[in-house]
Amino acid sequence: MALSAQQVPRWFNTIKLSSFIKAAQLRRSFPRPRKIPLCGFSTQLPMSSDICLLHRGFKTYRTSSLWNSSQATNSNRQENHSAQSALLPSGIQQSQKTQKLPNLESELSPEGLDDLPPLSPLQPIPEEEAVQIIAGSPLPPLSFTLRDYVDHSETLQKLVLLGVDLSKIEKHPDAANLLLRLDFEKDIKQILLFLKDVGIEDNELGTFLTKNYAIFSEDLENLKTRVAYLQSKNFTKADIAQMVRNAPFLLNFSVERLDNRLGFFQKELELSVKKTRDLVVRLPRLLTGSLEPVKENMKVYRLELGFKHNEIQHMITRIPKMLTVNKRKLTETFDYVHNVMSIPHHIIVKFPQVFNTKLFKVKERHLFLTYLGRAQYDPAKPNYISLDKLVSIPDKIFCEEIAKASVQDFNKFLKTL
């Protein structure tokens, strides 16, 4: 078996180690003399001729080694071999003669090569092998964008094909760690199939997952349990699909939280089961958002704005967003409509969408009607203008049907404000 260029240094290390072990075994085979003085320095104990010969052999070896150090390499190897042979008994010399260099084919089997120590990273390699090495682009050790990992992650590639916007997800510090640990087939595919069963269409998956990538950290059985709970409360499949679509985090909350939220709105607003169900279907964020704005607005309607309980019920069932609207916007709109435009509570209750309209739009149209002398909001008088038409129709229809003027006149008037 031929050795490659990289295996030759390892073979030489093995040969050196084998020689060292054999030399140690050879030294242990000689009987150790007990404090025998060197021949010629003491007459207390006679030394045998073999021991003196051994001593002379050491001296001859040392003298020969010093002389041979200045000779050529080939003659040095031969003379060193003869000097070393003179030190050994005849039996050992004979066995040493019979020893041969190790056969690479017989002694260095593939199994033996596997047990050898690994090559040093500094070990040079032939140029032919070096040019064949193909190094893949490494993963960045630190990055602030998922774009650097897309080429290395099958999961990210397939999420992009689904329409997921990674530039929005990466703004969350925990998003990258979550997505890069997931396997598409094992962790993501089953969630996608579940969402399709719920009612999320293929073209809606990208938008949904961009908002709620954390659904991949949820247990699939827990998600199914939450859907089953909503079905037990008589929410239809279409209702659940609409709720999940408009409130992507809905299924991330436990059954206990969903049950407590439904109970809160039914008790606090004194609504029937059906009206409570219709309320959360139209605004499912009521089940996922904070309850503090809801509680605060209920106090504002009752204590600051002076609406009765049944009036509040009517308005929020018509415009559920009134429960979560900004308190400042709520009070400023009511103050302008009620105190400036002189519209009483019972008319405001009939058209609660005024609280869902930008205040500057209400001001502009009211001031224009006042300028034309047509600001009349009492239904018992002629030329009555309802709040619904005042805030909901486009500018062109407002000017032609309500103000009886052109859009150009309206735009000129706005420049004077």
Side-chain angles (χ1 to χ4, degrees):
M1 178 182 66
L3 295 178
S4 66
Q6 295 181 356
Q7 292 174 335
V8 170
R10 297 169 64 180
W11 176 79
F12 275 115
N13 291 337
T14 306
I15 298 302
K16 292 179 182 179
L17 179 61
S18 176
S19 302
F20 177 78
I21 295 174
K22 290 179 180 179
Q25 293 174 349
L26 180 63
R27 286 195 298 269
R28 287 198 297 271
S29 64
F30 284 105
R32 182 176 298 178
R34 297 184 178 179
K35 298 182 181 179
I36 299 178
L38 294 178
C39 182
F41 286 87
S42 176
T43 58
Q44 293 180 358
L45 292 176
M47 296 182 63
S48 65
S49 59
D50 291 339
I51 298 177
C52 292
L53 178 62
L54 181 64
H55 175 63
R56 286 194 296 272
F58 272 113
K59 293 173 63 178
T60 303
Y61 168 74
R62 293 182 61 186
T63 305
S64 175
S65 298
L66 292 174
W67 182 83
N68 286 336
S69 61
S70 62
Q71 302 302 317
T73 304
N74 293 334
S75 62
N76 185 14
R77 291 178 179 175
Q78 295 175 357
E79 293 179 6
N80 282 343
H81 177 70
S82 0
Q84 291 175 356
S85 300
L87 299 176
L88 303 177
S90 58
I92 299 178
Q93 293 181 22
Q94 184 65 25
S95 65
Q96 194 177 50
K97 291 179 181 180
T98 61
Q99 291 180 354
K100 298 179 180 180
L101 289 176
N103 190 342
L104 297 180
E105 297 291 340
S106 61
E107 294 193 10
L108 291 178
S109 62
E111 293 78 5
L113 291 175
D114 291 338
D115 297 334
L116 294 177
L119 288 174
S120 169
L122 301 179
Q123 180 70 33
I125 61 175
E127 183 178 355
E128 294 78 5
E129 297 184 16
V131 298
Q132 296 178 1
I133 297 177
I134 301 176
S137 55
L139 282 171
L142 179 64
S143 177
F144 296 97
T145 175
L146 286 172
R147 180 178 56 188
D148 296 335
Y149 298 94
V150 171
D151 293 338
H152 307 275
S153 173
E154 180 185 4
T155 297
L156 294 182
Q157 293 171 9
K158 292 186 176 180
L159 288 177
V160 170
L161 293 177
L162 287 173
V164 178
D165 190 345
L166 297 181
S167 64
K168 294 182 179 180
I169 292 181
E170 67 189 15
K171 296 178 182 179
H172 304 276
D174 59 332
N177 292 330
L178 172 63
L179 296 181
L180 292 175
R181 289 198 306 265
L182 297 178
D183 181 84
F184 188 87
E185 294 295 329
K186 296 180 180 179
D187 305 317
I188 295 181
K189 187 175 181 179
Q190 56 183 356
I191 300 295
L192 297 179
L193 294 176
F194 164 78
L195 291 174
K196 292 189 65 175
D197 290 338
V198 169
I200 303 299
E201 301 295 336
D202 292 346
N203 59 350
E204 298 173 334
L205 285 173
T207 302
F208 178 90
L209 296 176
T210 300
K211 296 178 181 178
N212 184 18
Y213 64 89
I215 197 172
F216 294 130
S217 62
E218 295 288 334
D219 182 75
L220 182 59
E221 294 303 319
N222 290 337
L223 296 175
K224 293 180 179 179
T225 301
R226 293 158 192 170
V227 172
Y229 166 78
L230 294 175
Q231 292 173 343
S232 69
K233 296 299 180 180
N234 295 326
F235 288 94
T236 65
K237 185 175 182 179
D239 291 339
I240 296 174
Q242 180 178 339
M243 293 167 66
V244 173
R245 190 179 299 112
N246 294 333
F249 290 95
L250 178 66
L251 296 180
N252 292 51
F253 296 102
S254 65
V255 171
E256 291 76 13
R257 178 189 174 104
L258 297 176
D259 188 68
N260 291 336
R261 287 300 179 90
L262 289 174
F264 168 81
F265 289 110
Q266 184 177 358
K267 180 180 178 181
E268 184 73 16
L269 304 177
E270 298 181 5
L271 298 175
S272 64
V273 174
K274 184 181 183 305
K275 288 186 176 182
T276 302
R277 185 166 52 245
D278 294 340
L279 179 70
V280 297
V281 168
R282 295 179 61 189
L283 190 65
R285 292 199 306 271
L286 293 175
L287 300 178
T288 61
S290 174
L291 290 178
E292 293 305 317
V294 176
K295 295 177 181 179
E296 184 68 21
N297 286 348
M298 291 297 294
K299 293 179 180 179
V300 171
Y301 290 128
R302 194 167 50 245
L303 302 178
E304 297 185 24
L305 307 185
F307 289 101
K308 299 177 182 178
H309 185 73
N310 63 331
E311 292 176 334
I312 298 174
Q313 285 181 327
H314 178 79
M315 287 191 297
I316 62 175
T317 53
R318 290 281 304 277
I319 309 294
K321 194 176 179 181
M322 289 181 62
L323 288 172
T324 58
V325 71
N326 180 270
K327 177 184 174 181
R328 179 178 177 181
K329 179 180 183 300
L330 184 65
T331 55
E332 289 180 350
T333 300
F334 176 82
D335 180 68
Y336 190 84
V337 172
H338 181 66
N339 297 322
V340 177
M341 299 174 62
S342 302
I343 299 178
H345 283 76
H346 69 277
I347 294 181
I348 296 176
V349 171
K350 292 181 180 180
F351 306 102
Q353 56 267 32
V354 69
F355 292 106
N356 202 28
T357 306
K358 294 181 180 179
L359 181 57
F360 76 87
K361 183 177 181 180
V362 177
K363 290 182 177 180
E364 289 176 349
R365 293 188 175 187
H366 169 69
L367 293 175
F368 185 59
L369 292 175
T370 302
Y371 172 76
L372 297 175
R374 303 184 63 86
Q376 207 288 98
Y377 309 111
D378 188 352
K381 296 180 181 180
N383 301 322
Y384 164 70
I385 298 175
S386 67
L387 281 178
D388 183 27
K389 292 184 178 180
L390 179 70
V391 300
S392 61
I393 59 179
D395 285 346
K396 183 178 180 180
I397 299 178
F398 165 76
C399 294
E400 294 177 354
E401 297 184 4
I402 305 299
K404 307 297 181 181
S406 65
V407 177
Q408 291 77 10
D409 294 336
F410 181 56
N411 291 331
K412 290 180 182 179
F413 173 79
L414 295 179
K415 295 179 181 179
T416 63
L417 296 180

